[in-house]
Amino acid sequence: MHQFIDGRYREGRGDEAKRTNPVTGEPAEIIRYAASDDVDDAVAAATRAFGTWSRCTPAERSDALLALAAELGRRAEEIAAVETAQTGKAIRLATEFDVPGTIDNVSFFAGAARQLQGLAAGEYGAGGTSMIRREPIGVIGSIAPWNYPFQMAGWKILPAIAAGNTIVLKPSEVTPGTSLIFAEAATAAGIPDGVINIVTGTGAVAGEHLVRHPGVAMTSFTGSTAVGRKIMALASGRAKRVHLELGGKAPFVVFDDADLEAAAHGAVAGSIINGGQDCTAATRAYIQRPLFDAFTARVAELMDRVVLGDPTDDATDLGSLISHAHRDKVAGFVDRARAAGATVLAGGHAPGGHLAAGAYYRPTLVAGAAQDSEIVQEEVFGPVLTALPFDTDDEALTLANDTPYGLAASAWTNDLNRSLRASAEIQAGCVWINDHIPIVSEMPHGGYKASGFGKDMSAYSLEDYTNTKHVMLSRDKTPHKDWQNTIFRSTNMPASQP
């Protein structure tokens, strides 16, 4: 069963579909999708639970989240195995990155639940004391992608419920397993029924109904920019709050004083993480011309050493992509770039032999593509890195900003002034210096431009999931306040008689 509503599993009432194992190409399971009625039931459950959960004290919500962190910790090995089985990603990534990072996120929000911020109460205007209330919004409708199913479930659920909201989450219909475990573990940890609900269905049915639902106060979405724009349009009919984490095309800028070996290793790790199916993955390497040949040669050498194989084997560096259709989409980008005159310096093909049946693709380095070409401008979402030279610092930063996206970026230099300039002028929600990819629960994740708005992780995300209310208590006991003279003068009028 692939729906978790009001604290229990149930079958969906929509269509049936077969999920394919991306590693073998064989059928994996049959999923019964959620219909609109299932979404209605989930929203109703979340609405009922909101009355209780929103009135819990911050300490009570914090304790519940700490219990959830412990429950997920006990099931960490199981969660990693399910995550690998449904995505094809290497077990090392699931075990060492996805699962522990998400559990750390739970622990962080257990603390953040008790730290809602606002201005100190005080007399900001004459005669009155003002204070700030941070209040939960209501039922949150969230839609998460397939690339990091467990991590994205955490990013959507945790700030919402820490702030006192309840949630209906629609995971990707091809990777619902660990989102369901997340909700099941929350129930086992004592989080009330209906606070977290999971509906597994298609975007066209379950997703659109969730966005349009009059009982949903806010929509949170992670996915492509094209779908994000559609969700904004759907939500605008009810003037609904929207939180969007969309696509990326991260630049990787290597200045001529950079540590070449560090930059090359960073480029490979940053471009192939999760098969390149990561919105923050390094996709566009800009290298100052004196280092260009040495950098591309070293990156190509390192890419050729990457071990593809059985994702459950700890020796595997890179598992399969999410599906055969997606592998073919990635290959299409590379093939078209090659046909347009670009040079493939590493990879550029699916492996043969015992991996031929799976959705595998070799780590790929492409040089010689034009800045305005498809492979440089559009999100490939695969283990593909393009390399382009630059001459001046001004040119590097102009090229780095020359896409519609602005989610993440990195700059590689040992010059303090260069690093400060890059971090200030690159238009992205995150800029790493001499590294690419690491994230921490305390720091926000979110983009500029077509990469969306709103923050995941960190205390900043709580701002997106709360209403900010100004409360002012008048301390002036007189019946007619001085400021009212601006509107009408009544100081000479006799007082009304009882």
Side-chain angles (χ1 to χ4, degrees):
M1 292 187 283
H2 295 87
Q3 319 300 324
F4 193 89
I5 298 172
D6 208 11
R8 57 195 57 85
Y9 282 105
R10 58 185 253 185
E11 283 287 2
R13 288 173 278 189
D15 295 337
E16 286 187 349
K18 291 181 179 178
R19 188 181 74 81
T20 300
N21 185 325
V23 175
T24 65
E26 299 173 352
E29 62 178 335
I30 294 176
I31 297 176
R32 185 76 177 266
Y33 289 153
S36 296
D37 288 348
D38 297 304
V39 175
D40 291 340
D41 290 348
V43 174
T47 302
R48 290 191 298 271
F50 179 74
T52 301
W53 184 249
S54 63
R55 290 194 293 269
C56 287
T57 66
E60 288 169 334
R61 291 198 292 269
S62 178
D63 288 346
L65 286 167
L66 287 173
L68 173 58
E71 181 67 20
L72 293 172
R74 285 190 289 271
R75 300 182 65 174
E77 187 174 341
E78 171 198 359
I79 294 167
V82 173
E83 193 80 335
T84 288
Q86 64 183 357
T87 62
K89 69 175 64 186
I91 190 66
R92 284 207 319 266
L93 185 65
T95 301
E96 299 176 17
F97 181 74
D98 295 20
V99 176
T102 303
I103 294 172
D104 180 72
N105 236 229
V106 181
S107 298
F108 170 81
F109 279 105
R114 304 180 73 158
Q115 294 292 322
L116 289 176
Q117 300 295 316
L119 286 171
E123 290 65 54
Y124 296 94
T129 297
S130 290
M131 64 186 72
I132 295 294
R133 289 180 59 88
R134 302 299 293 268
E135 299 178 346
I137 298 167
V139 177
I140 310 300
S142 290
I143 301 173
W146 47 257
N147 57 336
Y148 290 102
F150 185 62
Q151 190 178 79
M152 293 298 101
W155 286 15
K156 295 301 180 193
I157 292 169
L158 293 169
I161 68 170
N165 303 285
T166 56
I167 190 166
V168 178
L169 171 70
K170 190 201 88 64
S172 168
E173 62 271 26
V174 299
T175 56
T178 47
S179 297
L180 293 163
I181 293 174
F182 199 109
E184 179 188 326
T187 297
I191 293 177
D193 294 349
V195 172
I196 301 172
N197 305 274
I198 309 295
V199 290
T200 302
T202 64
V205 177
E208 288 198 18
H209 192 62
L210 184 61
V211 174
R212 294 179 187 272
H213 201 291
V216 171
M218 170 181 165
T219 296
S220 177
F221 170 77
T222 295
S224 72
T225 297
V227 176
R229 290 185 176 122
K230 182 176 182 180
I231 285 173
M232 284 186 70
L234 292 173
S236 68
R238 294 187 177 275
K240 191 176 295 187
R241 189 182 300 194
V242 178
H243 176 287
L244 301 175
E245 196 270 278
L246 306 177
K249 193 71 181 175
F252 187 100
V253 181
V254 183
F255 293 98
D256 57 11
D257 67 320
D259 182 322
L260 178 62
E261 191 69 5
H265 279 84
V268 175
S271 63
I272 73 168
I273 183 173
N274 204 43
Q277 300 164 135
D278 186 314
C279 297
T280 63
T283 60
R284 299 178 290 136
Y286 297 105
I287 308 99
Q288 204 147 21
R289 203 172 296 275
L291 290 184
F292 185 82
D293 290 343
F295 176 86
T296 53
R298 184 60 171 146
V299 169
E301 179 185 11
L302 292 172
M303 281 186 168
D304 287 342
R305 294 182 187 177
V306 172
V307 177
L308 276 66
D310 178 356
T312 65
D313 186 341
D314 197 58
T316 293
D317 296 322
L318 190 62
S320 75
L321 302 186
I322 189 64
S323 69
H324 293 74
H326 186 66
R327 179 203 61 191
D328 294 345
K329 180 180 177 182
V330 171
F333 275 96
V334 177
D335 292 344
R336 290 189 295 274
R338 186 189 281 118
T343 302
V344 176
L345 301 178
H349 60 87
H354 68 287
L355 299 180
Y360 290 89
Y361 198 76
R362 287 290 318 173
T364 298
L365 178 63
V366 177
Q371 173 66 17
D372 63 355
S373 65
E374 172 194 57
I375 201 167
V376 174
Q377 291 292 322
E378 296 186 20
E379 193 171 30
V380 177
F381 224 56
V384 178
L385 178 67
T386 60
L388 297 89
F390 69 88
D391 291 303
T392 68
D393 290 15
D394 287 348
E395 181 187 7
L397 299 177
T398 297
L399 291 170
N401 289 327
D402 184 30
T403 72
Y405 301 103
L407 186 58
S410 65
W412 297 73
T413 177
N414 286 310
D415 184 292
L416 177 61
N417 289 330
R418 268 179 165 168
S419 67
L420 291 173
R421 184 185 177 193
S423 64
E425 295 188 20
I426 293 177
Q427 298 162 3
C430 174
V431 179
W432 292 284
I433 303 297
N434 295 327
D435 209 343
H436 195 107
I437 286 299
I439 54 175
V440 291
S441 296
E442 291 81 1
M443 290 293 121
H445 175 89
Y448 288 16
K449 303 191 294 186
S451 292
F453 47 82
K455 298 299 180 184
D456 293 315
M457 302 198 301
S458 83
Y460 292 99
S461 67
L462 289 173
E463 297 178 8
D464 294 325
Y465 290 93
T466 57
N467 285 318
T468 304
K469 179 185 288 184
H470 170 213
V471 177
M472 184 173 179
L473 295 81
S474 176
R475 299 168 63 234
D476 186 345
K477 299 295 187 180
T478 61
H480 180 78
K481 312 296 190 291
D482 286 345
W483 72 266
Q484 294 171 358
N485 289 324
T486 303
I487 314 304
F488 74 105
R489 296 186 183 277
S490 63
T491 53
N492 296 322
M493 293 182 182
S496 60
Q497 300 300 314

